[in-house]
Amino acid sequence: MSFSASAAPTLLADLGGTNVRFALTHPDRSAPLLDGSVRRYRVKDFTSLAEAIRQYFSDSGLSASRAVIAAAGRISDGETVKITNNPWSIVAHKLQAELGMDSVHLANDFAAQSMAVTLLKPADLVSVGSLPIPVISGREEQTFAIVGPGTGLGVGGLLMREGKASVLQSEGGHAGFAAHSPEDIEILNYLNQRFGRVSNERLICGQGLVNLYDAVCNIAGKTPEPLQPEDITQRAEAGSDPICVRTVETFAGIFGSVAGDLVLTMGAWDGVYLTGGLIPILLPWLERRGHFRERFEAKGRFRDTMEHIPTQAIMNPEPGLVGAAALAMMELDKSFPLK
């Protein structure tokens, strides 16, 4: 494999609360990620990101002099980040010096997830609801919301303006949970007694699924079992536990409410992309079993508008890395294809 002398590979990292994923991208390649370069590591197995990167280079036999790090946390001055739900802190210039790199660029993970939308193919997406997948255009003014439950709840935005893409970085997952039904109110009261303030992330993420299961058990007068998120979804899928079925249905409905609220807050009239590690598992409930679209559209005087806003699930297994590749292209002032 040969590359032009003026171009060089870039290390990509998608860093969350539980896992860090690595890959390489190269501006001479049409695909965002180099074949065979994707690897995943558990955060808890390393004391720092630098240690994990060295392990990746050793395992893969690859190397790079530049890096784009998409991290689950707020980026301060483009230079530092304390990872949410993760013990690592990263300072870009220190990481650059430690690894002997030419540059290290930090971005919020949902800035990367948002940019990924520009590079995804139709096969990477599944419509949730009956509306077609939107076409992203370099000629029109468009605004999209990106939201996804994983270890936490990420929120971002993609803005297309005058043929250029930009991202809105946010910590919208920490916005307060708004109850919309009598059951919501009971759930809110239960979680308020347990946590005090209740954010959307307290319900819509992996641990949020467990919190919601505990709340549904409390409402039903049942004693909750010590279940993990995967236990709840497996029992729900098998239909073997009515409480777990109800939990996942309720999760999907509340997720629809949260996604709809984001449209109103951000003016994301062109569509919403659903991403995160839980999406492939939850897709049957999002599509038909959990009232996702019903609650997404239930926005009072804006119902008619909401009925015409498409929602689509990202099924590509590495949207964070794909988005980091798009950010790397932007950093090199290299254009990328818009559908």
Side-chain angles (χ1 to χ4, degrees):
M1 183 183 298
S2 63
F3 297 122
S4 67
S6 61
T10 298
L11 172 69
L12 310 173
D14 179 18
L15 175 55
T18 304
N19 299 306
V20 57
R21 293 172 169 83
F22 296 114
L24 256 62
T25 189
H26 201 288
D28 281 359
R29 296 270 297 186
S30 58
L33 309 180
L34 293 186
D35 295 341
S37 69
V38 177
R39 302 210 176 193
R40 184 185 73 171
Y41 298 87
R42 300 279 289 182
V43 166
K44 68 179 183 179
D45 294 336
F46 301 91
T47 59
S48 68
L49 178 59
E51 182 185 352
I53 290 172
R54 290 193 184 98
Q55 187 66 52
Y56 169 72
F57 284 153
S58 174
D59 291 344
S60 66
L62 300 170
S63 63
S65 59
R66 303 171 61 251
V68 174
I69 312 296
R74 183 176 180 273
I75 311 298
S76 300
D77 302 320
E79 176 68 15
T80 63
V81 61
K82 171 66 179 74
I83 313 302
T84 307
N85 303 313
N86 176 319
W88 294 350
S89 294
I90 301 166
V91 180
H93 75 271
K94 291 183 179 179
L95 182 64
Q96 179 180 329
E98 193 172 357
L99 294 172
M101 288 186 159
D102 295 334
S103 70
V104 171
H105 175 73
L106 295 181
N108 176 265
D109 62 329
F110 263 73
Q113 293 269 3
S114 300
M115 281 303 302
V117 171
T118 65
L119 295 180
L120 294 176
K121 306 299 183 185
D124 294 320
L125 302 167
V126 172
S127 292
V128 177
S130 59
L131 298 173
I133 292 169
V135 175
I136 298 178
S137 171
R139 297 179 299 276
E140 300 178 19
E141 181 175 303
Q142 297 174 305
T143 303
F144 301 92
I146 294 84
V147 57
T151 304
L153 177 64
V155 173
L158 174 66
L159 288 74
M160 301 304 304
R161 300 291 188 271
E162 299 179 355
K164 295 182 179 180
S166 60
V167 294
L168 176 64
Q169 302 187 41
S170 109
E171 290 295 336
H174 297 282
F177 169 57
H180 291 278
S181 70
E183 183 185 47
D184 283 1
I185 293 170
E186 289 188 78
I187 292 168
L188 176 59
N189 287 338
Y190 172 81
L191 295 179
N192 179 257
Q193 292 176 19
R194 183 173 170 184
F195 297 111
R197 179 181 183 272
V198 179
S199 68
N200 288 326
E201 187 174 85
R202 289 293 189 189
L203 294 95
I204 308 301
C205 69
Q207 182 57 44
L209 188 62
V210 176
N211 295 339
L212 192 55
Y213 166 77
D214 291 346
V216 172
C217 284
N218 179 265
I219 294 168
K222 305 285 188 180
T223 300
E225 298 179 49
L227 302 182
Q228 297 299 310
E230 57 270 25
D231 299 325
I232 297 169
T233 55
Q234 287 170 6
R235 290 186 182 191
E237 183 63 35
S240 60
D241 187 329
I243 293 291
C244 289
V245 171
R246 183 59 186 157
T247 297
V248 179
E249 288 176 346
T250 302
F251 184 103
I254 292 174
F255 188 24
S257 289
V258 170
D261 286 344
L262 286 174
V263 170
L264 300 179
T265 302
M266 298 171 59
W269 311 118
D270 296 290
V272 178
Y273 290 84
L274 312 175
T275 187
L278 290 176
I279 294 301
I281 299 168
L282 294 171
L283 190 59
W285 281 270
L286 299 178
E287 289 183 305
R288 60 187 181 274
R289 296 169 62 181
H291 308 290
F292 176 89
R293 279 296 307 193
E294 179 182 325
R295 291 195 54 164
F296 177 84
E297 297 169 3
K299 299 301 176 187
R301 289 168 286 181
F302 274 82
R303 175 180 283 277
D304 289 347
T305 299
M306 300 298 293
E307 289 174 352
H308 294 90
I309 296 174
T311 50
Q312 41 278 321
I314 295 176
M315 303 304 287
N316 184 295
E318 302 296 348
L321 292 175
V322 171
L327 291 172
M329 292 179 189
M330 289 180 67
E331 198 173 55
L332 292 173
D333 197 26
K334 181 180 175 67
S335 62
F336 46 87
L338 293 175
K339 299 183 286 295

